mmCIF file of all heavy atoms in Angstrom:
data_model
loop_
_atom_site.group_PDB
_atom_site.id
_atom_site.type_symbol
_atom_site.label_atom_id
_atom_site.label_comp_id
_atom_site.label_asym_id
_atom_site.label_seq_id
_atom_site.Cartn_x
_atom_site.Cartn_y
_atom_site.Cartn_z
ATOM 1 N N PHE A 91 11.202 4.221 -28.061
ATOM 2 C CA PHE A 91 11.345 4.665 -29.442
ATOM 3 C C PHE A 91 9.944 4.584 -30.015
ATOM 4 O O PHE A 91 9.496 3.516 -30.413
ATOM 5 C CB PHE A 91 12.233 3.690 -30.241
ATOM 6 C CG PHE A 91 13.692 3.741 -29.908
ATOM 7 C CD1 PHE A 91 14.172 3.082 -28.797
ATOM 8 C CD2 PHE A 91 14.579 4.423 -30.736
ATOM 9 C CE1 PHE A 91 15.536 3.104 -28.502
ATOM 10 C CE2 PHE A 91 15.949 4.438 -30.453
ATOM 11 C CZ PHE A 91 16.421 3.776 -29.327
ATOM 12 N N VAL A 92 9.246 5.712 -29.983
ATOM 13 C CA VAL A 92 7.868 5.624 -30.444
ATOM 14 C C VAL A 92 7.841 5.659 -31.959
ATOM 15 O O VAL A 92 7.899 6.700 -32.582
ATOM 16 C CB VAL A 92 7.007 6.766 -29.876
ATOM 17 C CG1 VAL A 92 5.575 6.656 -30.355
ATOM 18 C CG2 VAL A 92 7.055 6.709 -28.353
ATOM 19 N N SER A 93 7.798 4.500 -32.526
ATOM 20 C CA SER A 93 7.777 4.423 -33.979
ATOM 21 C C SER A 93 7.183 3.083 -34.339
ATOM 22 O O SER A 93 7.367 2.104 -33.637
ATOM 23 C CB SER A 93 9.198 4.527 -34.524
ATOM 24 O OG SER A 93 9.238 4.103 -35.861
ATOM 25 N N SER A 94 6.447 3.060 -35.425
ATOM 26 C CA SER A 94 5.869 1.773 -35.792
ATOM 27 C C SER A 94 6.917 0.908 -36.475
ATOM 28 O O SER A 94 6.704 -0.242 -36.778
ATOM 29 C CB SER A 94 4.672 1.986 -36.719
ATOM 30 O OG SER A 94 5.120 2.731 -37.843
ATOM 31 N N ARG A 95 8.078 1.488 -36.675
ATOM 32 C CA ARG A 95 9.120 0.716 -37.316
ATOM 33 C C ARG A 95 10.159 0.303 -36.271
ATOM 34 O O ARG A 95 10.499 1.062 -35.376
ATOM 35 C CB ARG A 95 9.776 1.555 -38.418
ATOM 36 C CG ARG A 95 8.732 2.128 -39.393
ATOM 37 C CD ARG A 95 9.399 2.709 -40.627
ATOM 38 N NE ARG A 95 10.147 1.706 -41.375
ATOM 39 C CZ ARG A 95 9.589 0.759 -42.138
ATOM 40 N NH1 ARG A 95 8.283 0.713 -42.275
ATOM 41 N NH2 ARG A 95 10.345 -0.112 -42.771
ATOM 42 N N TRP A 96 10.630 -0.871 -36.374
ATOM 43 C CA TRP A 96 11.538 -1.384 -35.362
ATOM 44 C C TRP A 96 12.990 -1.038 -35.649
ATOM 45 O O TRP A 96 13.861 -1.203 -34.822
ATOM 46 C CB TRP A 96 11.381 -2.901 -35.250
ATOM 47 C CG TRP A 96 11.444 -3.601 -36.570
ATOM 48 C CD1 TRP A 96 10.413 -3.900 -37.401
ATOM 49 C CD2 TRP A 96 12.625 -4.058 -37.237
ATOM 50 N NE1 TRP A 96 10.863 -4.517 -38.525
ATOM 51 C CE2 TRP A 96 12.205 -4.640 -38.469
ATOM 52 C CE3 TRP A 96 13.996 -4.037 -36.929
ATOM 53 C CZ2 TRP A 96 13.106 -5.191 -39.373
ATOM 54 C CZ3 TRP A 96 14.893 -4.592 -37.830
ATOM 55 C CH2 TRP A 96 14.439 -5.157 -39.046
ATOM 56 N N VAL A 97 13.229 -0.591 -36.838
ATOM 57 C CA VAL A 97 14.625 -0.356 -37.244
ATOM 58 C C VAL A 97 15.433 0.564 -36.332
ATOM 59 O O VAL A 97 16.527 0.219 -35.938
ATOM 60 C CB VAL A 97 14.695 0.137 -38.708
ATOM 61 C CG1 VAL A 97 16.127 0.479 -39.086
ATOM 62 C CG2 VAL A 97 14.146 -0.935 -39.633
ATOM 63 N N PRO A 98 14.857 1.756 -35.970
ATOM 64 C CA PRO A 98 15.656 2.650 -35.124
ATOM 65 C C PRO A 98 16.093 1.987 -33.809
ATOM 66 O O PRO A 98 17.210 2.163 -33.355
ATOM 67 C CB PRO A 98 14.719 3.827 -34.844
ATOM 68 C CG PRO A 98 13.688 3.771 -35.895
ATOM 69 C CD PRO A 98 13.569 2.349 -36.320
ATOM 70 N N GLN A 99 15.151 1.216 -33.190
ATOM 71 C CA GLN A 99 15.461 0.590 -31.911
ATOM 72 C C GLN A 99 16.651 -0.352 -32.052
ATOM 73 O O GLN A 99 17.596 -0.325 -31.278
ATOM 74 C CB GLN A 99 14.274 -0.245 -31.403
ATOM 75 C CG GLN A 99 13.079 0.549 -30.929
ATOM 76 C CD GLN A 99 12.039 0.713 -32.024
ATOM 77 O OE1 GLN A 99 12.365 1.124 -33.131
ATOM 78 N NE2 GLN A 99 10.803 0.395 -31.710
ATOM 79 N N VAL A 100 16.553 -1.194 -33.049
ATOM 80 C CA VAL A 100 17.576 -2.217 -33.226
ATOM 81 C C VAL A 100 18.908 -1.583 -33.590
ATOM 82 O O VAL A 100 19.957 -1.960 -33.089
ATOM 83 C CB VAL A 100 17.128 -3.237 -34.299
ATOM 84 C CG1 VAL A 100 18.246 -4.208 -34.598
ATOM 85 C CG2 VAL A 100 15.897 -3.983 -33.806
ATOM 86 N N ALA A 101 18.825 -0.578 -34.471
ATOM 87 C CA ALA A 101 20.057 0.093 -34.886
ATOM 88 C C ALA A 101 20.760 0.704 -33.679
ATOM 89 O O ALA A 101 21.983 0.778 -33.618
ATOM 90 C CB ALA A 101 19.735 1.171 -35.906
ATOM 91 N N ALA A 102 19.975 1.157 -32.689
ATOM 92 C CA ALA A 102 20.558 1.778 -31.504
ATOM 93 C C ALA A 102 21.037 0.748 -30.489
ATOM 94 O O ALA A 102 21.574 1.094 -29.448
ATOM 95 C CB ALA A 102 19.542 2.712 -30.847
ATOM 96 N N GLY A 103 20.835 -0.520 -30.768
ATOM 97 C CA GLY A 103 21.367 -1.547 -29.865
ATOM 98 C C GLY A 103 20.354 -2.220 -28.966
ATOM 99 O O GLY A 103 20.725 -2.949 -28.052
ATOM 100 N N ALA A 104 19.071 -1.995 -29.200
ATOM 101 C CA ALA A 104 18.053 -2.617 -28.354
ATOM 102 C C ALA A 104 18.085 -4.136 -28.489
ATOM 103 O O ALA A 104 18.236 -4.670 -29.577
ATOM 104 C CB ALA A 104 16.669 -2.109 -28.732
ATOM 105 N N ILE A 107 12.240 -5.468 -27.043
ATOM 106 C CA ILE A 107 11.316 -4.369 -27.348
ATOM 107 C C ILE A 107 9.952 -4.593 -26.685
ATOM 108 O O ILE A 107 9.627 -5.706 -26.260
ATOM 109 C CB ILE A 107 11.108 -4.191 -28.868
ATOM 110 C CG1 ILE A 107 10.503 -5.472 -29.449
ATOM 111 C CG2 ILE A 107 12.411 -3.830 -29.554
ATOM 112 C CD1 ILE A 107 9.375 -5.211 -30.409
#
Side-chain angles (χ1 to χ4, degrees):
Chain A
F91 288 81
V92 180
S93 164
S94 57
R95 307 192 61 74
W96 50 269
V97 176
Q99 289 95 309
V100 174
I107 61 136

